[in-house]
Amino acid sequence: MSATIEDIFRQTAGARSGGPLYMRLRRSIEDAVKSGLINPGDALPSERDIAATAEISRVTVRKAVQHLVADGILIQRHGSGTFVAATVRRVEQSLSSLTSFTEDMARRGMILSSQWLDRGLYDPSNEETVILGLGAGEKVARVARLRVADGNPLAIERASIAASVLPDPNSIAHSLYAKLDETGNRPVRAIQRIAALNLGKQDADLLEVAPGAASLRIERTSYLSSGRIVEFTRSIYRGDAYDFVAELRLQN
Ligand code: 16G
């Protein structure tokens, strides 16, 4: 009969050598993940159950789990427990065409879903007023989503659009660009700025990675053919999921 995760916990406690107990438990859990005994998405038994099976204190279990979360091997979801982190398929994203997230995922045959973080009309910040060239008293539509592909959260996107262009942000079904297209306001050109960012706890929790994990902060400013800025979006993309690819040519 093959070993179970409980057997692994028992053996961890039984072994009398190999460094501090929490380190041994950490190694055992890591080995159980690597060998496929527990798989991405599987729930880890509760801290209490692990402590009872391994006959060690809950403090020791907590310490081992905290290290594995920091390593990105486990993730903790508030209220539902600790899970083996999902390994995401890296995707290559071209930097030469102006596509939407929905189109990019559809092209790869990935199943897309979005979790709304915010959408509504607001009084604009000074930055939004200047960038979007808003008139006096004009509101801004804010659209913030967690973008999920094949069940894995890949990016957090926070878009600002003039209310005169997007008067009802609640009318977006799936795609912002499809909505803008309906009124002839789909952007035709964009400037994108990409920088490195270590994730804070809140964004890391949303993206289901460890706090401090590497990510890409992307700002997209998109233009209509008239030259007017139609969209200003700040996004945070998971660093372990994306390769941005640009083609370079010799200038002559
Ligand atoms: C892309 C854009 C984002 C745009 C979104 C529209 C980047 C970094 N960002 O994700 O600026 O708002 O597509 O996607 O590429 P949608 O039409 O699926 O809502």
Side-chain angles (χ1 to χ4, degrees), residues 93 98-104 112 114 143 145 147 157 159 172 174-179 186 192 218-220 222 231-235 237 244:
Q93 178 67 46
L98 181 55
T99 49
S100 73
F101 193 87
T102 305
E103 291 162 345
D104 293 336
L112 175 70
S114 288
V143 173
R145 292 168 291 176
R147 317 290 316 247
E157 294 192 328
I172 300 169
H174 303 290
S175 165
L176 169 63
Y177 279 13
K179 186 77 215 167
R186 183 174 169 140
Q192 208 157 277
I218 306 178
E219 282 178 8
R220 183 183 281 193
S222 309
E231 170 203 15
F232 176 63
T233 296
R234 282 209 168 102
S235 308
Y237 276 64
F244 284 93

PDB file of all heavy atoms in Angstrom, residues 93 98-104 112 114 143 145 147 157 159 172 174-179 186 192 218-220 222 231-235 237 244, ligand 1:
ATOM      1  N   GLN A  93       3.368  36.832 -24.072  1.00  0.00           N
ATOM      2  CA  GLN A  93       2.497  37.907 -24.512  1.00  0.00           C
ATOM      3  C   GLN A  93       3.289  38.859 -25.396  1.00  0.00           C
ATOM      4  O   GLN A  93       4.288  39.423 -24.950  1.00  0.00           O
ATOM      5  CB  GLN A  93       1.947  38.621 -23.264  1.00  0.00           C
ATOM      6  CG  GLN A  93       1.056  39.783 -23.563  1.00  0.00           C
ATOM      7  CD  GLN A  93      -0.235  39.340 -24.227  1.00  0.00           C
ATOM      8  OE1 GLN A  93      -0.877  38.392 -23.801  1.00  0.00           O
ATOM      9  NE2 GLN A  93      -0.591  40.000 -25.305  1.00  0.00           N
ATOM     10  N   LEU A  98      -2.142  45.404 -30.021  1.00  0.00           N
ATOM     11  CA  LEU A  98      -3.032  45.947 -28.994  1.00  0.00           C
ATOM     12  C   LEU A  98      -4.260  45.041 -28.859  1.00  0.00           C
ATOM     13  O   LEU A  98      -5.259  45.232 -29.539  1.00  0.00           O
ATOM     14  CB  LEU A  98      -3.443  47.373 -29.386  1.00  0.00           C
ATOM     15  CG  LEU A  98      -4.362  48.100 -28.401  1.00  0.00           C
ATOM     16  CD1 LEU A  98      -3.774  48.122 -27.008  1.00  0.00           C
ATOM     17  CD2 LEU A  98      -4.611  49.516 -28.878  1.00  0.00           C
ATOM     18  N   THR A  99      -4.140  44.045 -27.992  1.00  0.00           N
ATOM     19  CA  THR A  99      -5.233  43.080 -27.817  1.00  0.00           C
ATOM     20  C   THR A  99      -5.797  43.207 -26.405  1.00  0.00           C
ATOM     21  O   THR A  99      -5.189  43.818 -25.537  1.00  0.00           O
ATOM     22  CB  THR A  99      -4.717  41.643 -28.033  1.00  0.00           C
ATOM     23  OG1 THR A  99      -3.529  41.471 -27.254  1.00  0.00           O
ATOM     24  CG2 THR A  99      -4.410  41.370 -29.485  1.00  0.00           C
ATOM     25  N   SER A 100      -6.949  42.573 -26.207  1.00  0.00           N
ATOM     26  CA  SER A 100      -7.559  42.586 -24.871  1.00  0.00           C
ATOM     27  C   SER A 100      -7.234  41.270 -24.170  1.00  0.00           C
ATOM     28  O   SER A 100      -6.871  40.278 -24.804  1.00  0.00           O
ATOM     29  CB  SER A 100      -9.074  42.735 -24.998  1.00  0.00           C
ATOM     30  OG  SER A 100      -9.639  41.527 -25.467  1.00  0.00           O
ATOM     31  N   PHE A 101      -7.398  41.275 -22.869  1.00  0.00           N
ATOM     32  CA  PHE A 101      -7.151  40.063 -22.083  1.00  0.00           C
ATOM     33  C   PHE A 101      -8.046  38.918 -22.591  1.00  0.00           C
ATOM     34  O   PHE A 101      -7.593  37.784 -22.759  1.00  0.00           O
ATOM     35  CB  PHE A 101      -7.449  40.368 -20.608  1.00  0.00           C
ATOM     36  CG  PHE A 101      -6.945  39.327 -19.665  1.00  0.00           C
ATOM     37  CD1 PHE A 101      -5.650  39.391 -19.181  1.00  0.00           C
ATOM     38  CD2 PHE A 101      -7.751  38.280 -19.250  1.00  0.00           C
ATOM     39  CE1 PHE A 101      -5.166  38.425 -18.309  1.00  0.00           C
ATOM     40  CE2 PHE A 101      -7.278  37.317 -18.386  1.00  0.00           C
ATOM     41  CZ  PHE A 101      -5.982  37.377 -17.903  1.00  0.00           C
ATOM     42  N   THR A 102      -9.309  39.241 -22.868  1.00  0.00           N
ATOM     43  CA  THR A 102     -10.262  38.231 -23.339  1.00  0.00           C
ATOM     44  C   THR A 102      -9.764  37.590 -24.636  1.00  0.00           C
ATOM     45  O   THR A 102      -9.777  36.361 -24.783  1.00  0.00           O
ATOM     46  CB  THR A 102     -11.645  38.886 -23.582  1.00  0.00           C
ATOM     47  OG1 THR A 102     -12.043  39.542 -22.374  1.00  0.00           O
ATOM     48  CG2 THR A 102     -12.693  37.860 -23.965  1.00  0.00           C
ATOM     49  N   GLU A 103      -9.299  38.434 -25.577  1.00  0.00           N
ATOM     50  CA  GLU A 103      -8.801  37.912 -26.861  1.00  0.00           C
ATOM     51  C   GLU A 103      -7.537  37.073 -26.651  1.00  0.00           C
ATOM     52  O   GLU A 103      -7.386  36.010 -27.254  1.00  0.00           O
ATOM     53  CB  GLU A 103      -8.489  39.080 -27.809  1.00  0.00           C
ATOM     54  CG  GLU A 103      -9.727  39.812 -28.282  1.00  0.00           C
ATOM     55  CD  GLU A 103      -9.412  41.208 -28.836  1.00  0.00           C
ATOM     56  OE1 GLU A 103      -8.303  41.727 -28.601  1.00  0.00           O
ATOM     57  OE2 GLU A 103     -10.297  41.768 -29.475  1.00  0.00           O
ATOM     58  N   ASP A 104      -6.639  37.559 -25.787  1.00  0.00           N
ATOM     59  CA  ASP A 104      -5.379  36.828 -25.551  1.00  0.00           C
ATOM     60  C   ASP A 104      -5.646  35.425 -25.017  1.00  0.00           C
ATOM     61  O   ASP A 104      -5.013  34.457 -25.425  1.00  0.00           O
ATOM     62  CB  ASP A 104      -4.503  37.592 -24.534  1.00  0.00           C
ATOM     63  CG  ASP A 104      -4.002  38.908 -25.092  1.00  0.00           C
ATOM     64  OD1 ASP A 104      -3.938  39.022 -26.324  1.00  0.00           O
ATOM     65  OD2 ASP A 104      -3.692  39.804 -24.297  1.00  0.00           O
ATOM     66  N   LEU A 112     -11.606  31.732 -19.505  1.00  0.00           N
ATOM     67  CA  LEU A 112     -11.430  32.996 -18.789  1.00  0.00           C
ATOM     68  C   LEU A 112     -12.589  33.264 -17.849  1.00  0.00           C
ATOM     69  O   LEU A 112     -13.738  33.011 -18.167  1.00  0.00           O
ATOM     70  CB  LEU A 112     -11.361  34.117 -19.842  1.00  0.00           C
ATOM     71  CG  LEU A 112     -11.300  35.536 -19.331  1.00  0.00           C
ATOM     72  CD1 LEU A 112      -9.960  35.803 -18.686  1.00  0.00           C
ATOM     73  CD2 LEU A 112     -11.538  36.503 -20.468  1.00  0.00           C
ATOM     74  N   SER A 114     -13.595  36.425 -14.654  1.00  0.00           N
ATOM     75  CA  SER A 114     -13.114  37.624 -13.970  1.00  0.00           C
ATOM     76  C   SER A 114     -13.865  37.780 -12.674  1.00  0.00           C
ATOM     77  O   SER A 114     -15.046  37.455 -12.589  1.00  0.00           O
ATOM     78  CB  SER A 114     -13.361  38.877 -14.817  1.00  0.00           C
ATOM     79  OG  SER A 114     -12.506  38.906 -15.913  1.00  0.00           O
ATOM     80  N   VAL A 143     -13.040  50.446 -13.406  1.00  0.00           N
ATOM     81  CA  VAL A 143     -13.346  49.030 -13.631  1.00  0.00           C
ATOM     82  C   VAL A 143     -12.156  48.233 -13.096  1.00  0.00           C
ATOM     83  O   VAL A 143     -11.071  48.298 -13.663  1.00  0.00           O
ATOM     84  CB  VAL A 143     -13.514  48.772 -15.154  1.00  0.00           C
ATOM     85  CG1 VAL A 143     -13.658  47.307 -15.455  1.00  0.00           C
ATOM     86  CG2 VAL A 143     -14.698  49.569 -15.718  1.00  0.00           C
ATOM     87  N   ARG A 145     -10.694  44.475 -11.897  1.00  0.00           N
ATOM     88  CA  ARG A 145     -10.982  43.030 -11.962  1.00  0.00           C
ATOM     89  C   ARG A 145      -9.767  42.187 -11.632  1.00  0.00           C
ATOM     90  O   ARG A 145      -8.630  42.576 -11.938  1.00  0.00           O
ATOM     91  CB  ARG A 145     -11.433  42.651 -13.379  1.00  0.00           C
ATOM     92  CG  ARG A 145     -12.752  43.202 -13.776  1.00  0.00           C
ATOM     93  CD  ARG A 145     -13.016  43.044 -15.254  1.00  0.00           C
ATOM     94  NE  ARG A 145     -12.150  43.884 -16.064  1.00  0.00           N
ATOM     95  CZ  ARG A 145     -12.116  43.876 -17.381  1.00  0.00           C
ATOM     96  NH1 ARG A 145     -12.901  43.043 -18.036  1.00  0.00           N
ATOM     97  NH2 ARG A 145     -11.328  44.668 -18.045  1.00  0.00           N
ATOM     98  N   ARG A 147      -8.252  38.977 -13.041  1.00  0.00           N
ATOM     99  CA  ARG A 147      -8.412  38.200 -14.273  1.00  0.00           C
ATOM    100  C   ARG A 147      -7.897  36.785 -14.044  1.00  0.00           C
ATOM    101  O   ARG A 147      -6.753  36.588 -13.615  1.00  0.00           O
ATOM    102  CB  ARG A 147      -7.666  38.859 -15.441  1.00  0.00           C
ATOM    103  CG  ARG A 147      -7.787  40.366 -15.570  1.00  0.00           C
ATOM    104  CD  ARG A 147      -9.124  40.913 -15.978  1.00  0.00           C
ATOM    105  NE  ARG A 147      -9.879  40.327 -17.012  1.00  0.00           N
ATOM    106  CZ  ARG A 147     -10.148  40.888 -18.189  1.00  0.00           C
ATOM    107  NH1 ARG A 147      -9.626  42.048 -18.492  1.00  0.00           N
ATOM    108  NH2 ARG A 147     -10.957  40.305 -19.049  1.00  0.00           N
ATOM    109  N   GLU A 157      -6.389  44.078 -12.718  1.00  0.00           N
ATOM    110  CA  GLU A 157      -6.413  45.223 -13.644  1.00  0.00           C
ATOM    111  C   GLU A 157      -7.375  46.287 -13.134  1.00  0.00           C
ATOM    112  O   GLU A 157      -8.529  45.980 -12.819  1.00  0.00           O
ATOM    113  CB  GLU A 157      -6.862  44.768 -15.035  1.00  0.00           C
ATOM    114  CG  GLU A 157      -5.851  43.840 -15.681  1.00  0.00           C
ATOM    115  CD  GLU A 157      -6.119  43.605 -17.157  1.00  0.00           C
ATOM    116  OE1 GLU A 157      -7.299  43.613 -17.563  1.00  0.00           O
ATOM    117  OE2 GLU A 157      -5.155  43.415 -17.889  1.00  0.00           O
ATOM    118  N   ALA A 159      -8.853  49.782 -14.415  1.00  0.00           N
ATOM    119  CA  ALA A 159      -8.946  50.693 -15.564  1.00  0.00           C
ATOM    120  C   ALA A 159      -9.768  51.934 -15.210  1.00  0.00           C
ATOM    121  O   ALA A 159     -10.745  51.850 -14.458  1.00  0.00           O
ATOM    122  CB  ALA A 159      -9.601  49.967 -16.736  1.00  0.00           C
ATOM    123  N   ILE A 172     -20.747  46.226 -18.704  1.00  0.00           N
ATOM    124  CA  ILE A 172     -19.697  45.363 -19.288  1.00  0.00           C
ATOM    125  C   ILE A 172     -20.032  43.909 -18.938  1.00  0.00           C
ATOM    126  O   ILE A 172     -20.218  43.584 -17.762  1.00  0.00           O
ATOM    127  CB  ILE A 172     -18.303  45.707 -18.710  1.00  0.00           C
ATOM    128  CG1 ILE A 172     -17.938  47.162 -19.009  1.00  0.00           C
ATOM    129  CG2 ILE A 172     -17.227  44.759 -19.240  1.00  0.00           C
ATOM    130  CD1 ILE A 172     -16.719  47.648 -18.252  1.00  0.00           C
ATOM    131  N   HIS A 174     -18.158  40.820 -20.262  1.00  0.00           N
ATOM    132  CA  HIS A 174     -16.882  40.159 -19.975  1.00  0.00           C
ATOM    133  C   HIS A 174     -15.710  41.047 -20.344  1.00  0.00           C
ATOM    134  O   HIS A 174     -14.723  41.104 -19.634  1.00  0.00           O
ATOM    135  CB  HIS A 174     -16.755  38.849 -20.777  1.00  0.00           C
ATOM    136  CG  HIS A 174     -17.867  37.905 -20.514  1.00  0.00           C
ATOM    137  ND1 HIS A 174     -18.007  37.259 -19.316  1.00  0.00           N
ATOM    138  CD2 HIS A 174     -18.915  37.517 -21.283  1.00  0.00           C
ATOM    139  CE1 HIS A 174     -19.094  36.514 -19.352  1.00  0.00           C
ATOM    140  NE2 HIS A 174     -19.663  36.646 -20.534  1.00  0.00           N
ATOM    141  N   SER A 175     -15.869  41.714 -21.495  1.00  0.00           N
ATOM    142  CA  SER A 175     -14.713  42.400 -22.050  1.00  0.00           C
ATOM    143  C   SER A 175     -14.920  43.914 -22.105  1.00  0.00           C
ATOM    144  O   SER A 175     -15.901  44.401 -22.682  1.00  0.00           O
ATOM    145  CB  SER A 175     -14.458  41.861 -23.470  1.00  0.00           C
ATOM    146  OG  SER A 175     -13.593  42.717 -24.175  1.00  0.00           O
ATOM    147  N   LEU A 176     -13.991  44.646 -21.520  1.00  0.00           N
ATOM    148  CA  LEU A 176     -14.024  46.107 -21.583  1.00  0.00           C
ATOM    149  C   LEU A 176     -13.865  46.575 -23.030  1.00  0.00           C
ATOM    150  O   LEU A 176     -14.585  47.459 -23.497  1.00  0.00           O
ATOM    151  CB  LEU A 176     -12.893  46.678 -20.710  1.00  0.00           C
ATOM    152  CG  LEU A 176     -12.604  48.166 -20.837  1.00  0.00           C
ATOM    153  CD1 LEU A 176     -13.801  49.003 -20.389  1.00  0.00           C
ATOM    154  CD2 LEU A 176     -11.365  48.546 -20.020  1.00  0.00           C
ATOM    155  N   TYR A 177     -12.919  45.951 -23.769  1.00  0.00           N
ATOM    156  CA  TYR A 177     -12.677  46.391 -25.147  1.00  0.00           C
ATOM    157  C   TYR A 177     -13.884  46.096 -26.046  1.00  0.00           C
ATOM    158  O   TYR A 177     -14.188  46.881 -26.953  1.00  0.00           O
ATOM    159  CB  TYR A 177     -11.404  45.734 -25.700  1.00  0.00           C
ATOM    160  CG  TYR A 177     -10.133  46.439 -25.264  1.00  0.00           C
ATOM    161  CD1 TYR A 177     -10.141  47.390 -24.244  1.00  0.00           C
ATOM    162  CD2 TYR A 177      -8.912  46.156 -25.869  1.00  0.00           C
ATOM    163  CE1 TYR A 177      -8.983  48.030 -23.832  1.00  0.00           C
ATOM    164  CE2 TYR A 177      -7.735  46.802 -25.477  1.00  0.00           C
ATOM    165  CZ  TYR A 177      -7.778  47.741 -24.455  1.00  0.00           C
ATOM    166  OH  TYR A 177      -6.631  48.380 -24.056  1.00  0.00           O
ATOM    167  N   ALA A 178     -14.588  44.974 -25.778  1.00  0.00           N
ATOM    168  CA  ALA A 178     -15.792  44.678 -26.564  1.00  0.00           C
ATOM    169  C   ALA A 178     -16.835  45.752 -26.300  1.00  0.00           C
ATOM    170  O   ALA A 178     -17.537  46.201 -27.217  1.00  0.00           O
ATOM    171  CB  ALA A 178     -16.329  43.300 -26.209  1.00  0.00           C
ATOM    172  N   LYS A 179     -16.939  46.193 -25.040  1.00  0.00           N
ATOM    173  CA  LYS A 179     -17.906  47.243 -24.675  1.00  0.00           C
ATOM    174  C   LYS A 179     -17.543  48.558 -25.374  1.00  0.00           C
ATOM    175  O   LYS A 179     -18.400  49.229 -25.941  1.00  0.00           O
ATOM    176  CB  LYS A 179     -17.897  47.433 -23.149  1.00  0.00           C
ATOM    177  CG  LYS A 179     -18.926  48.370 -22.633  1.00  0.00           C
ATOM    178  CD  LYS A 179     -20.282  47.718 -22.616  1.00  0.00           C
ATOM    179  CE  LYS A 179     -21.365  48.706 -22.924  1.00  0.00           C
ATOM    180  NZ  LYS A 179     -22.636  48.040 -23.219  1.00  0.00           N
ATOM    181  N   ARG A 186     -13.082  51.754 -29.193  1.00  0.00           N
ATOM    182  CA  ARG A 186     -11.997  50.813 -28.919  1.00  0.00           C
ATOM    183  C   ARG A 186     -10.662  51.475 -29.268  1.00  0.00           C
ATOM    184  O   ARG A 186     -10.516  52.058 -30.352  1.00  0.00           O
ATOM    185  CB  ARG A 186     -12.181  49.534 -29.734  1.00  0.00           C
ATOM    186  CG  ARG A 186     -11.094  48.542 -29.367  1.00  0.00           C
ATOM    187  CD  ARG A 186     -11.235  47.198 -29.983  1.00  0.00           C
ATOM    188  NE  ARG A 186      -9.981  46.511 -29.715  1.00  0.00           N
ATOM    189  CZ  ARG A 186      -9.872  45.265 -29.381  1.00  0.00           C
ATOM    190  NH1 ARG A 186     -10.930  44.509 -29.296  1.00  0.00           N
ATOM    191  NH2 ARG A 186      -8.698  44.729 -29.136  1.00  0.00           N
ATOM    192  N   GLN A 192       2.688  51.352 -23.250  1.00  0.00           N
ATOM    193  CA  GLN A 192       2.704  50.477 -22.087  1.00  0.00           C
ATOM    194  C   GLN A 192       4.033  50.615 -21.360  1.00  0.00           C
ATOM    195  O   GLN A 192       5.088  50.576 -21.978  1.00  0.00           O
ATOM    196  CB  GLN A 192       2.491  49.032 -22.559  1.00  0.00           C
ATOM    197  CG  GLN A 192       1.849  48.166 -21.531  1.00  0.00           C
ATOM    198  CD  GLN A 192       1.159  46.959 -22.143  1.00  0.00           C
ATOM    199  OE1 GLN A 192       0.027  47.063 -22.596  1.00  0.00           O
ATOM    200  NE2 GLN A 192       1.829  45.845 -22.171  1.00  0.00           N
ATOM    201  N   ILE A 218       2.150  47.040 -14.731  1.00  0.00           N
ATOM    202  CA  ILE A 218       2.014  47.539 -16.113  1.00  0.00           C
ATOM    203  C   ILE A 218       1.017  48.690 -16.145  1.00  0.00           C
ATOM    204  O   ILE A 218      -0.077  48.584 -15.587  1.00  0.00           O
ATOM    205  CB  ILE A 218       1.525  46.416 -17.054  1.00  0.00           C
ATOM    206  CG1 ILE A 218       2.454  45.201 -16.939  1.00  0.00           C
ATOM    207  CG2 ILE A 218       1.451  46.898 -18.489  1.00  0.00           C
ATOM    208  CD1 ILE A 218       2.031  44.036 -17.774  1.00  0.00           C
ATOM    209  N   GLU A 219       1.412  49.770 -16.792  1.00  0.00           N
ATOM    210  CA  GLU A 219       0.480  50.888 -17.010  1.00  0.00           C
ATOM    211  C   GLU A 219       0.230  50.981 -18.502  1.00  0.00           C
ATOM    212  O   GLU A 219       1.186  51.046 -19.282  1.00  0.00           O
ATOM    213  CB  GLU A 219       1.096  52.202 -16.529  1.00  0.00           C
ATOM    214  CG  GLU A 219       1.046  52.357 -15.027  1.00  0.00           C
ATOM    215  CD  GLU A 219       1.703  53.650 -14.561  1.00  0.00           C
ATOM    216  OE1 GLU A 219       2.063  54.497 -15.426  1.00  0.00           O
ATOM    217  OE2 GLU A 219       1.866  53.794 -13.354  1.00  0.00           O
ATOM    218  N   ARG A 220      -1.032  50.959 -18.881  1.00  0.00           N
ATOM    219  CA  ARG A 220      -1.364  51.107 -20.306  1.00  0.00           C
ATOM    220  C   ARG A 220      -2.179  52.380 -20.500  1.00  0.00           C
ATOM    221  O   ARG A 220      -3.208  52.565 -19.849  1.00  0.00           O
ATOM    222  CB  ARG A 220      -2.159  49.899 -20.813  1.00  0.00           C
ATOM    223  CG  ARG A 220      -2.461  49.985 -22.298  1.00  0.00           C
ATOM    224  CD  ARG A 220      -3.313  48.836 -22.793  1.00  0.00           C
ATOM    225  NE  ARG A 220      -2.569  47.603 -23.021  1.00  0.00           N
ATOM    226  CZ  ARG A 220      -3.049  46.562 -23.687  1.00  0.00           C
ATOM    227  NH1 ARG A 220      -4.263  46.606 -24.206  1.00  0.00           N
ATOM    228  NH2 ARG A 220      -2.330  45.466 -23.835  1.00  0.00           N
ATOM    229  N   SER A 222      -4.177  54.173 -23.472  1.00  0.00           N
ATOM    230  CA  SER A 222      -4.641  53.813 -24.821  1.00  0.00           C
ATOM    231  C   SER A 222      -5.329  54.990 -25.500  1.00  0.00           C
ATOM    232  O   SER A 222      -6.050  55.753 -24.851  1.00  0.00           O
ATOM    233  CB  SER A 222      -5.638  52.662 -24.755  1.00  0.00           C
ATOM    234  OG  SER A 222      -5.122  51.625 -23.995  1.00  0.00           O
ATOM    235  N   GLU A 231      -8.313  55.185 -22.326  1.00  0.00           N
ATOM    236  CA  GLU A 231      -8.170  54.247 -21.207  1.00  0.00           C
ATOM    237  C   GLU A 231      -6.848  54.481 -20.492  1.00  0.00           C
ATOM    238  O   GLU A 231      -5.816  54.687 -21.133  1.00  0.00           O
ATOM    239  CB  GLU A 231      -8.173  52.810 -21.760  1.00  0.00           C
ATOM    240  CG  GLU A 231      -7.799  51.755 -20.747  1.00  0.00           C
ATOM    241  CD  GLU A 231      -7.253  50.438 -21.364  1.00  0.00           C
ATOM    242  OE1 GLU A 231      -6.889  50.423 -22.553  1.00  0.00           O
ATOM    243  OE2 GLU A 231      -7.194  49.454 -20.632  1.00  0.00           O
ATOM    244  N   PHE A 232      -6.902  54.446 -19.167  1.00  0.00           N
ATOM    245  CA  PHE A 232      -5.661  54.423 -18.396  1.00  0.00           C
ATOM    246  C   PHE A 232      -5.800  53.265 -17.413  1.00  0.00           C
ATOM    247  O   PHE A 232      -6.687  53.261 -16.558  1.00  0.00           O
ATOM    248  CB  PHE A 232      -5.464  55.753 -17.648  1.00  0.00           C
ATOM    249  CG  PHE A 232      -4.252  55.734 -16.761  1.00  0.00           C
ATOM    250  CD1 PHE A 232      -2.983  55.578 -17.312  1.00  0.00           C
ATOM    251  CD2 PHE A 232      -4.362  55.839 -15.386  1.00  0.00           C
ATOM    252  CE1 PHE A 232      -1.854  55.534 -16.492  1.00  0.00           C
ATOM    253  CE2 PHE A 232      -3.242  55.809 -14.564  1.00  0.00           C
ATOM    254  CZ  PHE A 232      -1.990  55.650 -15.120  1.00  0.00           C
ATOM    255  N   THR A 233      -4.966  52.235 -17.596  1.00  0.00           N
ATOM    256  CA  THR A 233      -5.104  51.026 -16.780  1.00  0.00           C
ATOM    257  C   THR A 233      -3.812  50.702 -16.059  1.00  0.00           C
ATOM    258  O   THR A 233      -2.737  50.682 -16.668  1.00  0.00           O
ATOM    259  CB  THR A 233      -5.522  49.822 -17.662  1.00  0.00           C
ATOM    260  OG1 THR A 233      -6.812  50.097 -18.207  1.00  0.00           O
ATOM    261  CG2 THR A 233      -5.605  48.540 -16.855  1.00  0.00           C
ATOM    262  N   ARG A 234      -3.946  50.462 -14.752  1.00  0.00           N
ATOM    263  CA  ARG A 234      -2.803  49.968 -13.974  1.00  0.00           C
ATOM    264  C   ARG A 234      -3.066  48.507 -13.683  1.00  0.00           C
ATOM    265  O   ARG A 234      -4.114  48.155 -13.144  1.00  0.00           O
ATOM    266  CB  ARG A 234      -2.710  50.712 -12.636  1.00  0.00           C
ATOM    267  CG  ARG A 234      -2.124  52.083 -12.759  1.00  0.00           C
ATOM    268  CD  ARG A 234      -1.410  52.483 -11.466  1.00  0.00           C
ATOM    269  NE  ARG A 234      -0.633  53.671 -11.716  1.00  0.00           N
ATOM    270  CZ  ARG A 234      -1.018  54.889 -11.344  1.00  0.00           C
ATOM    271  NH1 ARG A 234      -2.143  55.073 -10.695  1.00  0.00           N
ATOM    272  NH2 ARG A 234      -0.246  55.924 -11.611  1.00  0.00           N
ATOM    273  N   SER A 235      -2.100  47.664 -14.053  1.00  0.00           N
ATOM    274  CA  SER A 235      -2.286  46.227 -13.846  1.00  0.00           C
ATOM    275  C   SER A 235      -1.113  45.650 -13.072  1.00  0.00           C
ATOM    276  O   SER A 235      -0.013  46.191 -13.099  1.00  0.00           O
ATOM    277  CB  SER A 235      -2.351  45.505 -15.194  1.00  0.00           C
ATOM    278  OG  SER A 235      -3.298  46.107 -16.035  1.00  0.00           O
ATOM    279  N   TYR A 237       0.640  41.929 -12.953  1.00  0.00           N
ATOM    280  CA  TYR A 237       0.658  40.585 -13.537  1.00  0.00           C
ATOM    281  C   TYR A 237       1.585  39.686 -12.733  1.00  0.00           C
ATOM    282  O   TYR A 237       2.654  40.133 -12.287  1.00  0.00           O
ATOM    283  CB  TYR A 237       1.161  40.658 -14.990  1.00  0.00           C
ATOM    284  CG  TYR A 237       0.066  41.010 -15.961  1.00  0.00           C
ATOM    285  CD1 TYR A 237      -0.577  42.239 -15.897  1.00  0.00           C
ATOM    286  CD2 TYR A 237      -0.334  40.100 -16.932  1.00  0.00           C
ATOM    287  CE1 TYR A 237      -1.590  42.561 -16.779  1.00  0.00           C
ATOM    288  CE2 TYR A 237      -1.347  40.413 -17.824  1.00  0.00           C
ATOM    289  CZ  TYR A 237      -1.972  41.640 -17.742  1.00  0.00           C
ATOM    290  OH  TYR A 237      -2.984  41.943 -18.617  1.00  0.00           O
ATOM    291  N   PHE A 244       6.785  38.698 -21.399  1.00  0.00           N
ATOM    292  CA  PHE A 244       6.428  39.693 -22.412  1.00  0.00           C
ATOM    293  C   PHE A 244       7.507  39.683 -23.485  1.00  0.00           C
ATOM    294  O   PHE A 244       8.696  39.743 -23.178  1.00  0.00           O
ATOM    295  CB  PHE A 244       6.275  41.077 -21.785  1.00  0.00           C
ATOM    296  CG  PHE A 244       4.981  41.196 -21.023  1.00  0.00           C
ATOM    297  CD1 PHE A 244       4.932  40.924 -19.670  1.00  0.00           C
ATOM    298  CD2 PHE A 244       3.808  41.533 -21.676  1.00  0.00           C
ATOM    299  CE1 PHE A 244       3.731  41.003 -18.972  1.00  0.00           C
ATOM    300  CE2 PHE A 244       2.600  41.608 -20.986  1.00  0.00           C
ATOM    301  CZ  PHE A 244       2.573  41.341 -19.639  1.00  0.00           C
TER     302      PHE A 244
HETATM  303  C1  16G B   1      -5.461  43.958 -21.355  1.00  0.00           C
HETATM  304  C2  16G B   1      -4.880  45.321 -21.029  1.00  0.00           C
HETATM  305  C3  16G B   1      -5.824  46.235 -20.311  1.00  0.00           C
HETATM  306  C4  16G B   1      -7.192  46.223 -20.951  1.00  0.00           C
HETATM  307  C5  16G B   1      -7.714  44.822 -21.033  1.00  0.00           C
HETATM  308  C6  16G B   1      -9.074  44.734 -21.676  1.00  0.00           C
HETATM  309  C7  16G B   1      -2.504  44.758 -20.552  1.00  0.00           C
HETATM  310  C8  16G B   1      -1.358  44.928 -19.639  1.00  0.00           C
HETATM  311  N1  16G B   1      -3.670  45.279 -20.227  1.00  0.00           N
HETATM  312  O1  16G B   1      -5.415  43.111 -20.268  1.00  0.00           O
HETATM  313  O2  16G B   1      -5.289  47.537 -20.354  1.00  0.00           O
HETATM  314  O3  16G B   1      -8.091  47.025 -20.207  1.00  0.00           O
HETATM  315  O4  16G B   1      -6.814  44.036 -21.800  1.00  0.00           O
HETATM  316  O5  16G B   1      -9.468  43.399 -21.592  1.00  0.00           O
HETATM  317  O6  16G B   1      -2.353  44.131 -21.548  1.00  0.00           O
HETATM  318  P1  16G B   1     -10.957  42.907 -21.760  1.00  0.00           P
HETATM  319  O7  16G B   1     -11.473  43.462 -23.030  1.00  0.00           O
HETATM  320  O8  16G B   1     -10.875  41.427 -21.729  1.00  0.00           O
HETATM  321  O9  16G B   1     -11.749  43.440 -20.595  1.00  0.00           O
END
